[in-house]
Structures are given as structure tokens and as C-alpha cells.
């Protein structure tokens, strides 16, 4: 889910004019990063194809799978953008970090990253409403209303993601225009002052706000879901002994993907925030390690989805046969 460079990170020493030496460890981590992105592309692409074929053949798809295929499509496109950005920056280490090419890549990255976070949050909200055994009238009402809200939920995710990318693009464009007016002198005092101010206050603030809101929503509803499942599990142990093992296994199968979803989502969010706040140059080992950790999370979650979703499990079994 993370970039090689976020919008606010790329001018904080990621490129040094005249310096094109690259550490071998950085090259190794770069290769690992690209391989992780390719694995994520394959995993998400498989989810898109499997659910897309079902959608075409049956002319219908459940609300949950609509959110799932939207999330997979967002991640698929994001990983492609990340690969493109990584290769461009790696091959052009002395390029100005706000040139038109990187601005375009940043625009797509900001949109797709925000869309991925919002879709994960909406998927967590959907899980909570549909799976939780809460008897509050609001939850009962939501269970019947929620499937019809999925198109509007997707539109809201697109709208909030577009707002994030546009706000970040405005800051990128301001820096580039100042750079162009200064005669393309990348390290003049005025340009540095504007760039550092926007990175420290503007870019970081936008991302923290736009990433934190869906993360808080996700955390609240996932907590409610876990509390509901734990309470339900306690009740099952008071049931008849012959049904206890079956129910315990069912709850364990439901809890395992949910827990992995929560851990991976929170891990990605924290690493993205720390990466955006960091001033580590991209040539350094520590920066690339952050990126590998971020993309390791994005590789694991599609695999968990493939083996926990009933529809995708059937496709995998047929493929193996």
C-alpha cells in the first residue's frame, strides 16, 4: 500500500544532484520491493478475474464481493503505479522531485492510496454490520439497508480520494512553478523554504487527516465486531457438547481472517504515516526497509482473502484440479 516516495517525501533529500552512486543493499531492497509489488499484482489480479467472471456469468454479485473486487482493483492499480514510480526514480536519481512525470505519478498514487484505505474501512464497516450479532435496533436496521448502500459507499470513497489527490497535486504544482520561475535551480533558498514548509505542514496534514478518518472508522467497527464474536463464542461453550467443537471451529475460521485484516491494515497505516513523516533519503537502507515492510503487508492480505473467501476458494480448488 505504500509508495517508494510519498508526495511530501520526495524533496527531503531523496535525490542529490550529481550523486548517482547506489548502495548494493539499496539495489537488493529495490529488487525485493518490485518483486513484492509483482506478487501483489498477481494476487489482486486473480481476485479481480475470479469475481469478475462470476459477475459476468451470473449477472449479479453480492454486496460484500463488490467491495472486495473494488478493493482488489484499487490495489492492483496502486501496485502498478508504485512499480512505475520506483523504476523511474531509481533510473533518474538526479531528476527534480516535483517534475511533471513525478507529479503525474504522485497524483495517481495519492488517489489510489486514499481509495485503498477508504475501501478497507468500508469493508470493515460492512463486515461488522453483516456479521456482528448485536441486537441494537440500529444494527438490525443497517443489516437490511446496507447492501443497497454499496454503490454510494464506493462513490464516497472515490470522492474523498479525489479530494486528497487534488489537494496534494496543488501543493506539488506550487513547488514546481516556483522551481520553474527560479530558472530550474532546484536548491535555491526560496524554493527550499517553500518546499520544506509544504512538506512539513501541508502535505503531512492532509494525509494524516484523510488517512486517519477511515482508519478510526475501521478501528471502531472492527472492535465492535470482535467484541460481538467473542461474546458469541462464550455462549457456544455453554451449548451442547456435540455442537461445541463445530461452532468453535467456525468461529476460529471467522476470527483468523478478521484478525489478520486488522493487523495488516493498522500496520500499513502506521508505516505510511511514519514514512510520510520521515526525512530519510531514498538511497539509505532504512528508507527502503520501510517500503519493503509496507508492501509485505499488501502481499499477505490478498493471499488471506484468496483462502478465506468461499467463492475464491472454489476457484482455487478448481484450478488445482
Amino acid at each position: 500500500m505504500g509508495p517508494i516516495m510519498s508526495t511530501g517525501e520526495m524533496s527531503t533529500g531523496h535525490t542529490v544532484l550529481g550523486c548517482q552512486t547506489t548502495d548494493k543493499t539499496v539495489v537488493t531492497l529495490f529488487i525485493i520491493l518490485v518483486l513484492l509489488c509483482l506478487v501483489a499484482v498477481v494476487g489482486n489480479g486473480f481476485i479481480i478475474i475470479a469475481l469478475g467472471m462470476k459477475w459476468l456469468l451470473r449477472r449479479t454479485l453480492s454486496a460484500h464481493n463488490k467491495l472486495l473486487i473494488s478493493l482488489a482493483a484499487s490495489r492492483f492499480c496502486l501496485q502498478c503505479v508504485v512499480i512505475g514510480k520506483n523504476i523511474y526514480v531509481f533510473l533518474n536519481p538526479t531528476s527534480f522531485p516535483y517534475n511533471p512525470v513525478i507529479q503525474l505519478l504522485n497524483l495517481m498514487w495519492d488517489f489510489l492510496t486514499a481509495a485503498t484505505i477508504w475501501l478497507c474501512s468500508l469493508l470493515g464497516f460492512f463486515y461488522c454490520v453483516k456479521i456482528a450479532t448485536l441486537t441494537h435496533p440500529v444494527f438490525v436496521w443497517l443489516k437490511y439497508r446496507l447492501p443497497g448502500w454499496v454503490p454510494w459507499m464506493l462513490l464516497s470513497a472515490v470522492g474523498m480520494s479525489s479530494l486528497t489527490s487534488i489537494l496534494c497535486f496543488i501543493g506539488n504544482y506550487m513547488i514546481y512553478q516556483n522551481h520553474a520561475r527560479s530558472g530550474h535551480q532546484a536548491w535555491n533558498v526560496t524554493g527550499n523554504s517553500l518546499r520544506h514548509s509544504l512538506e512539513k505542514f501541508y502535505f503531512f496534514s492532509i494525509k494524516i487527516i484523510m488517512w486517519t478518518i477511515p482508519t478510526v472508522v475501521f478501528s471502531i467497527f472492527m472492535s465492535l465486531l470482535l467484541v460481538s464474536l467473542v461474546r458469541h463464542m462464550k455462549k457456544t461453550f455453554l451449548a451442547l457438547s456435540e455442537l461445541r467443537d463445530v461452532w468453535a471451529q467456525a468461529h476460529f475460521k471467522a476470527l483468523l481472517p478478521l484478525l489478520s485484516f486488522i493487523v495488516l491494515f493498522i500496520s500499513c497505516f502506521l508505516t505510511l504515516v511514519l514514512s510520510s513523516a520521515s526525512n530519510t533519503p531514498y538511497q539509505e537502507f532504512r528508507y527502503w526497509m520501510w517500503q519493503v515492510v509496507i508492501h509485505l503487508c499488501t502481499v499477505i492480505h490478498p493471499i488471506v482473502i484468496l483462502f478465506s473467501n468461499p467463492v475464491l476458494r472454489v476457484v482455487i480448488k478448481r484450478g488445482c484440479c
Side-chain angles (χ1 to χ4, degrees):
M1 233 166 83
I4 179 156
M5 294 182 183
S6 66
T7 309
E9 296 168 353
M10 296 195 329
S11 62
T12 54
H14 292 277
T15 57
V16 179
L17 295 177
C19 178
Q20 300 188 31
T21 58
T22 306
D23 192 358
K24 290 182 179 179
T25 56
V26 172
V27 175
T28 303
L29 290 174
F30 168 76
I31 294 173
I32 294 173
L33 185 60
V34 173
L35 291 176
L36 287 174
C37 291
L38 290 175
V39 173
V41 166
V42 173
N44 289 297
F46 184 84
I47 295 173
I48 295 170
I49 293 173
L51 295 180
M53 290 298 294
K54 181 182 178 182
W55 201 343
L56 289 174
L57 293 174
R58 299 188 179 181
R59 303 294 181 181
T60 184
L61 197 65
S62 66
H64 161 257
N65 284 329
K66 287 179 182 178
L67 287 172
L68 201 57
I69 195 174
S70 300
L71 176 60
S74 175
R75 284 177 169 172
F76 179 88
C77 297
L78 177 61
Q79 298 304 321
C80 292
V81 171
V82 170
I83 292 173
K85 179 187 282 188
N86 287 347
I87 294 174
Y88 178 82
V89 175
F90 194 80
L91 296 178
N92 300 275
T94 60
S95 62
F96 182 61
Y98 291 92
N99 65 45
V101 175
I102 297 182
Q103 281 194 58
L104 177 61
L105 292 170
N106 277 335
L107 180 65
M108 294 186 290
W109 181 86
D110 289 324
F111 173 80
L112 292 169
T113 300
T116 299
I117 294 175
W118 275 103
L119 289 170
C120 285
S121 177
L122 294 176
L123 192 60
F125 168 67
F126 189 90
Y127 281 153
C128 178
V129 174
K130 299 299 290 185
I131 299 175
T133 57
L134 301 173
T135 57
H136 194 278
V138 175
F139 274 87
V140 177
W141 179 75
L142 283 174
K143 283 182 184 289
Y144 293 99
R145 295 284 184 176
L146 190 58
W149 290 357
V150 169
W152 296 105
M153 292 165 67
L154 295 176
L155 286 175
S156 66
V158 171
M160 296 301 295
S161 304
S162 300
L163 178 61
T164 304
S165 59
I166 290 171
L167 291 175
C168 290
F169 178 77
I170 291 172
N172 287 335
Y173 187 74
M174 290 172 60
I175 294 176
Y176 180 72
Q177 287 298 309
N178 180 78
H179 169 66
R181 286 195 297 267
S182 65
H184 299 283
Q185 297 177 7
W187 309 111
N188 66 82
V189 177
T190 304
N192 272 334
S193 177
L194 174 65
R195 186 164 57 247
H196 291 323
S197 297
L198 287 174
E199 289 168 357
K200 187 175 181 180
F201 301 105
Y202 183 75
F203 291 126
F204 187 69
S205 299
I206 289 174
K207 290 180 180 180
I208 288 298
I209 293 172
M210 293 299 185
W211 293 347
T212 302
I213 293 174
T215 302
V216 170
V217 173
F218 175 87
S219 302
I220 291 173
F221 283 99
M222 284 290 97
S223 299
L224 290 173
L225 178 56
L226 288 176
V227 169
S228 173
L229 287 175
V230 170
R231 287 180 179 176
H232 197 62
M233 286 183 68
K234 290 181 179 179
K235 292 180 180 179
T236 60
F237 283 102
L238 300 176
L240 297 175
S241 58
E242 58 268 19
L243 297 177
R244 189 179 301 165
D245 293 338
V246 177
W247 286 349
Q249 291 178 5
H251 281 86
F252 180 76
K253 290 180 180 180
L255 277 174
L256 189 60
L258 286 175
L259 288 173
S260 64
F261 185 31
I262 294 170
V263 171
L264 293 173
F265 180 85
I266 299 299
S267 299
C268 283
F269 170 75
L270 292 176
T271 49
L272 281 171
V273 171
L274 292 173
S275 180
S276 296
S278 174
N279 293 328
T280 307
Y282 87 92
Q283 293 94 341
E284 292 190 9
F285 176 83
R286 185 176 59 179
Y287 175 83
W288 289 88
M289 279 301 300
W290 275 117
Q291 305 309 312
V292 170
V293 171
I294 293 171
H295 289 280
L296 185 62
C297 296
T298 64
V299 170
I300 295 174
H301 190 233
I303 296 174
V304 174
I305 292 175
L306 287 172
F307 288 97
S308 61
N309 186 281
V311 176
L312 298 175
R313 278 206 310 267
V314 171
V315 175
I316 292 175
K317 289 180 181 179
R318 289 178 179 176
C320 292
C321 294

